[in-house]
Amino acid sequence: MDTKNTHEIDIVLATSSKINSVDFDNLSFGSTFTDHMLVCDFKEGKWGKPVIKPYEPFMIDPSAKVFHYGQAIFEGMKAYKDEQDQVWIFRPDQNLDRFNKSAVRMAMPEVPESIFIDGLKTILDIERAWVKKGLGNTLYIRPFMIAIGSGVIAQPSTQYRFMIILSPAKSYYSGDVKVIIAEHYSRAANGGIGAAKAAGNYSAQFYPQKLAQEKGFQQIIWTDDATHTKLEEAGTMNVFFKINDTLYTAPTSERILDGVTRKSLIDLAKREGIKVEERSVLVDEIVTAAKDGSLKEIFGAGTAAVVSPIVGFQYKEDYYELPKLQNSIAMDLKDKLTKIQYNLAEDTFGWTVKI
C-alpha cells in the first residue's frame, strides 16, 4: 500500500482498484462502494487525525453505544462530473451545518470543517474515476458518525467514529410513485429528533412503509403526530404540492428535516417567478383540490431522488390520480437544478464547489 500525508490527513492507498469489476450501467442504489473510506475517531474530548484507507469492515465492541442507544447520524450528498471531466459537489456547507445540528441534538461532538469538508475533498480527489459523466450518473456520498464507546449504561458515549463512504449511483426511484397519506403512524413528534438526520428516524419508518407497500404504494406522506391533519414529508423526502399556480411545502420544524434539495428548489422556483408558500398544508385542502382539479402536482425532493413526481395518492379508502402534465414544474425544476449540479448551466447562486 502507498502511504502518505496530505493536509493533516493520513492516506493509505489500496494496492489495486475494483472499479473495473463494477457494472456502472446496472447499479443497485447504495450497494457498491469505492476503493477507499475516511475514518476519524473522537476520544478523550478531541478529534484525532483523519485517515483515508482501503474500504473494509472494522471491529467494534458489542457493547458500543450505537447498538444499544442509537447514537448515529448521517448525511446524504452527491458528486457530479461535467463534460470536461471536472468533479463538483453541491452545497457541502449546508450538509456540514445540518450534520452538526444533528450531532448537537444527539449529544454527539460536532465535526470540524477541516475534517468534514477537507476530508471529503481529499477522498473525492482520490476516487474521481468513480464519478462517471452523464446526467443521472453520480457518486453518492455518505458521511456518518456512530458512538463507539463501550458500556451499556444509558448515557452518551465518550468515543465516536466519523466516516465517509462513497457509492456510485444512478436514479434512486424508478417507475411511478404512488403514496398513501398516513392516518395513524407519524415520522416525528414535537420535541423529538425529526429535524436531525438520525438513523432511528429512518428505521422507525420501515414498518409503516412495509404496510403501505403491501397495499401497492411506494411511499407514505407523513402527517403530524398530534392531529394527522397536516402533511409533512413523503417517505424520506420533503414534499411539495402545486395547487393552481402556487407551490406549497411545509415549513421546517422540529419534525421536518431542513432538506438541502428542498431549499434549493424553493430558491430556483422564486428565481423563475413561481409563487412559493412555506406553510402548513392540510390533508383536507389537498383532497378538496384533487376533487376540484386545482391540484396539479405533488413531488418529493431529496438528495437521493432529487425530484420524484407522485402520480397519485390514497387517503382513507379513496384514491386520487393526478393529471398527466406536459409542462411539469417538478420536472422543470429538476432539469434546472441538475444542470447546475453537472455544470451545464450557470450557477448564479454559488452553490457548486469544484474538486
Side-chain angles (χ1 to χ4, degrees), residues 210-319:
K210 173 178 175 288
L211 297 180
Q213 289 172 342
E214 288 172 353
K215 295 179 180 179
F217 297 91
Q218 286 70 44
Q219 288 290 349
I220 298 170
I221 295 186
W222 303 104
T223 50
D224 68 291
D225 64 301
T227 66
H228 295 288
T229 61
K230 300 174 183 177
L231 297 160
E232 302 205 318
E233 294 195 12
T236 58
M237 302 176 287
N238 295 116
V239 63
F240 288 81
F241 306 88
K242 184 188 175 211
I243 301 176
N244 291 320
D245 293 323
T246 302
L247 210 53
Y248 297 90
T249 191
T252 56
S253 68
E254 290 181 309
R255 302 187 307 272
I256 299 175
L257 194 69
D258 185 13
V260 178
T261 303
R262 171 192 177 276
K263 65 178 68 176
S264 303
L265 292 176
I266 290 172
D267 288 345
L268 273 172
K270 289 178 177 178
R271 188 191 72 179
E272 298 302 309
I274 299 167
K275 186 178 179 183
V276 181
E277 290 190 21
E278 296 178 69
R279 65 160 175 82
S280 293
V281 181
L282 301 178
V283 176
D284 285 349
E285 70 175 305
I286 292 302
V287 170
T288 298
K291 289 179 178 178
D292 67 23
S294 59
L295 178 63
K296 306 301 183 185
E297 296 181 62
I298 303 175
F299 59 92
T303 299
V306 186
V307 170
S308 185
I310 292 167
V311 300
F313 70 92
Q314 180 167 309
Y315 180 60
K316 297 188 183 297
E317 298 304 318
D318 296 317
Y319 178 74

Side-chain angles (χ1 to χ4, degrees), residues 52 68 124 129 168 179 188 293 298:
I52 293 173
H68 302 274
L124 284 174
V179 299
I298 303 175

Side-chain angles (χ1 to χ4, degrees), residues 130-192:
W130 288 82
V131 193
K132 299 301 182 181
K133 288 191 291 190
L135 287 173
N137 295 323
T138 61
L139 187 62
Y140 185 76
I141 304 163
R142 174 53 63 90
F144 65 99
M145 178 164 49
I146 58 174
I148 60 172
S150 59
V152 295
I153 184 171
Q155 64 185 29
S157 177
T158 59
Q159 299 180 27
Y160 297 88
R161 178 162 294 165
F162 171 71
M163 298 186 65
I164 300 175
I165 56 177
L166 309 170
S167 177
K170 285 186 172 290
S171 298
Y172 189 64
Y173 294 112
S174 60
D176 290 343
V177 176
K178 298 189 294 183
V179 299
I180 188 167
I181 293 177
E183 299 176 59
H184 172 70
Y185 294 102
S186 298
R187 177 186 172 275
N190 283 331

